[in-house]
Amino acid sequence: MFYRILCLSIIFLAHVLIILFCELGDFHLNISFLLNWVSLFVILYFHLIRDKEFSPYISSYLVFGYLFFLVSPMYQIYTGVFPNTYPIKINEVVKLNFYILIWNTNFLIAYQIIKKRKKKKLDRGWEVANIQKDNYLIYLTTLTALSLLIILFFQDFIIDKLLYHNNGFQKYSVVKSLIIRKSFFIIPFIGFLYSIVFLRQNRNQHEKWKFVLLLSILLLFLLILVKNPMLAKRNAIGPLIITIFVFIIPKWFNKNIRFLFFLLLSMVVGFPLVSIFTHSKHGIVETILKPFDFLKEIASRDLLRELLTLHYDAYSNILATMEYINSYGIVLGEQLQGSLLFFVPRSLWTDKPVKTGKLIGKHLMDNYNMEFDNLSNPLLSEGLISLGAFSLFLFPVVLAFLVVKMLQWQYSKDFFKQVVAIYFSIYLIFILRGDLSSSLSFFTGTFIGVYLIPKGLFFLLGKILQFKKVK
């Protein structure tokens, strides 16, 4: 307890110094950001002091709020520029901070109330579910074989992406590319995690542990092949890597304060470095021929100036959305409907709404000289454009319900539910950042590959094995 209180005190003093010394030139502006910080600090207090369960979702919520709704907008206003070219308007910023205060307050209240209903089940320490030994080798071998077949079948896709950065001999549609990358290429990940957790739990006790180790090495190679900075974006790689860490060394990560600081460090240092590769316009061939170009880019990376890039445009995109609403009004659920029904193709739904990020991006291009329209749009903004101020009460409650549901999955005895839950806890940062349509489609694809395919495969194998025993 003393350790947690000490860390909380240090965080408190650090925030006070930031607020005092980062003078933004307007009293109301400073007060609004101070209230924004207070709402986050109250959530932090509950997370580190009051709550007993390991809840990585709240860590992600805090990291997102701290970086995207406090530090980055304050620094952007201090330097006098928003990354999405939207002009700084003090009154709108103060109004948005008031919205954020309402959102954070409603989320905290809803989360605490909903969680109390399951309190007895969540008070115990979190542990990784035990993997059953019965038929384990058959299940793991099948997952490995499926991973190999998928990679062999889509080898042209991998070669095109990996070596030529999508400039090779074949093009893929957006839908096909999404299914391949999010659902099929995730199979080596769940296979590797399934094998490595089994080895950690059984060590040398299993008679064929060497064979399991061999399969885990093969699956790791396949995972690196299909989930690397040249083939996948950081919002896909980051959650996978952190999920693996949590399951390999859970005793280190299953404390809220440790996970919070690790996630914050990953976002501030790790993700900007990974983005050098994920946003590169060259494949491995050109990287090998011109390696010094990447070394120079890494050496010249200014982590503080990252706050002025489009990676941190969430806050200013909400401001642009608020202006859009003032000009055209709310869309009465139209954008929300398009996001929830992302799987319906435009060939069947001809007037399907464009993504909110693209809609606001077009608005910025028409009015503020923005160069392209492929922008993020935070969950708060999605609510405002679809339901107006009512969303400040509805969306946080729905989010709190989903978080508690995932918390239940995390504390279940089902290994695959736990993987989905931990992955969701990290991916929550990207859901909050938006846009909603992309976030839902990407997570749904991952859910199919991590949960539905393995569970369905194991169910069929179990029935086949049971039938053979009866016969």
Side-chain angles (χ1 to χ4, degrees):
M1 177 64 74
F2 173 77
Y3 175 67
R4 286 184 292 174
I5 293 176
L6 177 62
C7 290
L8 193 67
S9 301
I10 293 173
I11 295 172
F12 176 80
L13 291 174
H15 279 76
V16 169
L17 290 174
I18 291 174
I19 297 294
L20 289 176
F21 289 100
C22 190
E23 174 59 48
L24 300 178
D26 184 271
F27 175 77
H28 296 94
L29 189 61
N30 285 324
I31 291 297
S32 68
F33 275 112
L34 178 62
L35 293 175
N36 186 346
W37 165 73
V38 168
S39 66
L40 288 174
F41 188 81
V42 173
I43 297 174
L44 180 67
Y45 167 76
F46 274 87
H47 186 48
L48 298 186
I49 304 299
R50 295 288 298 275
D51 294 340
K52 305 300 181 184
E53 69 281 348
F54 170 53
S55 182
Y57 320 90
I58 305 303
S59 294
S60 292
Y61 186 94
L62 286 166
V63 167
F64 173 83
Y66 177 73
L67 290 179
F68 289 87
F69 284 174
L70 188 67
V71 174
S72 61
M74 288 181 69
Y75 185 67
Q76 289 161 8
I77 294 172
Y78 180 77
T79 57
V81 61
F82 280 136
N84 67 348
T85 70
Y86 189 77
I88 297 173
K89 302 176 183 179
I90 302 301
N91 291 337
E92 291 184 2
V93 172
V94 172
K95 185 178 181 180
L96 175 53
N97 285 337
F98 179 67
Y99 287 166
I100 294 172
L101 174 64
I102 296 175
W103 176 287
N104 287 339
T105 302
N106 289 331
F107 173 78
L108 176 62
I109 294 172
Y111 174 72
Q112 292 297 328
I113 292 175
I114 297 171
K115 181 167 63 72
K116 279 184 178 179
R117 299 177 58 187
K118 307 295 180 181
K119 188 173 180 60
K120 292 182 179 179
K121 296 182 180 180
L122 303 177
D123 270 350
R124 56 188 168 84
W126 180 74
E127 296 179 351
V128 177
N130 288 322
I131 294 179
Q132 299 296 324
K133 295 182 180 180
D134 296 340
N135 304 319
Y136 171 79
L137 283 179
I138 295 176
Y139 293 157
L140 179 60
T141 303
T142 304
L143 276 178
T144 306
L146 179 60
S147 300
L148 282 168
L149 287 174
I150 288 172
I151 290 174
L152 289 174
F153 189 79
F154 295 111
Q155 58 178 306
D156 56 340
F157 179 90
I158 297 173
I159 292 172
D160 186 38
K161 289 278 188 179
L162 194 61
L163 297 183
Y164 302 102
H165 198 76
N166 209 27
N167 294 314
F169 51 87
Q170 186 171 350
K171 300 292 182 181
Y172 285 83
S173 67
V174 175
V175 175
K176 186 176 181 180
S177 177
L178 176 65
I179 294 173
I180 294 172
R181 290 186 291 111
K182 298 301 178 182
S183 295
F184 293 157
F185 283 179
I186 206 72
I187 301 299
F189 161 74
I190 193 62
F192 170 72
L193 205 56
Y194 188 65
S195 64
I196 207 70
V197 169
F198 182 83
L199 286 173
R200 187 183 63 81
Q201 291 176 347
N202 295 277
R203 292 187 173 90
N204 299 341
Q205 299 175 13
H206 197 270
E207 58 182 3
K208 295 187 177 180
W209 70 270
K210 292 182 179 180
F211 177 68
V212 176
L213 179 61
L214 182 64
L215 290 182
S216 69
I217 294 173
L218 174 59
L219 286 164
L220 177 60
F221 171 76
L222 298 178
L223 174 60
I224 295 173
L225 182 64
V226 297
K227 292 293 181 182
N228 64 79
M230 295 295 182
L231 204 63
K233 298 298 183 182
R234 62 182 187 171
N235 62 352
I237 297 174
L240 294 181
I241 294 175
I242 297 176
T243 300
I244 291 172
F245 283 160
V246 171
F247 278 88
I248 291 179
I249 44 177
K251 290 185 178 180
W252 198 94
F253 284 98
N254 64 1
K255 301 295 182 183
N256 288 330
I257 191 165
R258 293 176 185 173
F259 189 83
L260 176 66
F261 279 108
F262 174 79
L263 192 60
L264 182 61
L265 184 64
S266 299
M267 287 294 296
V268 173
V269 179
F271 279 69
L273 294 180
V274 171
S275 68
I276 294 175
F277 298 95
T278 58
H279 290 78
S280 169
K281 297 181 179 180
H282 309 287
I284 284 181
V285 172
E286 291 187 53
T287 304
I288 293 174
L289 294 176
K290 302 177 181 179
F292 291 105
D293 290 347
F294 283 94
L295 293 177
K296 289 179 181 178
E297 190 169 355
I298 292 174
S300 62
R301 204 72 171 190
D302 186 344
L303 295 180
L304 187 60
R305 290 198 63 82
E306 283 288 319
L307 299 175
L308 301 178
T309 67
L310 286 173
H311 295 313
Y312 290 94
D313 64 350
Y315 190 92
S316 53
N317 283 339
I318 302 177
L319 292 172
T321 303
M322 290 166 59
E323 183 186 74
Y324 182 91
I325 294 171
N326 289 335
S327 300
Y328 304 102
I330 62 174
V331 296
L332 293 175
E334 182 180 344
Q335 291 301 125
L336 181 60
Q337 184 182 32
S339 297
L340 295 177
L341 300 177
F342 65 88
F343 50 87
V344 179
R346 292 190 180 276
S347 57
L348 299 178
W349 187 0
T350 54
D351 57 345
K352 182 178 180 180
V354 298
K355 297 177 182 179
T356 307
K358 192 175 185 66
L359 179 69
I360 302 304
K362 181 67 165 55
H363 175 73
L364 289 169
M365 290 180 67
D366 293 340
N367 296 277
Y368 298 107
N369 298 317
M370 186 62 187
E371 296 180 353
F372 58 92
D373 59 7
N374 186 24
L375 300 177
S376 65
N377 202 268
L379 190 60
L380 189 154
S381 182
E382 295 278 2
L384 288 176
I385 196 170
S386 288
L387 301 173
F390 176 66
S391 67
L392 298 175
F393 299 89
L394 177 63
F395 271 49
V397 174
V398 173
L399 179 62
F401 175 82
L402 290 175
V403 166
V404 173
K405 186 63 178 178
M406 286 292 101
L407 193 60
Q408 290 178 263
W409 275 38
Q410 175 191 318
Y411 274 84
S412 74
K413 299 295 184 180
D414 189 320
F415 170 76
F416 294 100
K417 283 185 176 181
Q418 287 190 343
V419 175
V420 171
I422 295 296
Y423 178 90
F424 177 85
S425 71
I426 304 133
Y427 192 75
L428 181 59
I429 293 176
F430 301 99
I431 294 176
L432 291 169
R433 181 174 179 261
D435 58 30
L436 184 59
S437 179
S438 298
S439 300
L440 285 178
S441 61
F442 291 170
F443 180 75
T444 301
T446 302
F447 175 76
I448 292 171
V450 169
Y451 186 78
L452 293 183
I453 292 179
K455 294 287 281 189
L457 190 63
F458 288 8
F459 175 79
L460 292 176
L461 288 173
K463 289 295 184 182
I464 293 172
L465 293 171
Q466 186 179 8
F467 176 76
K468 287 185 176 180
K469 286 183 180 179
V470 173
K471 190 174 180 180

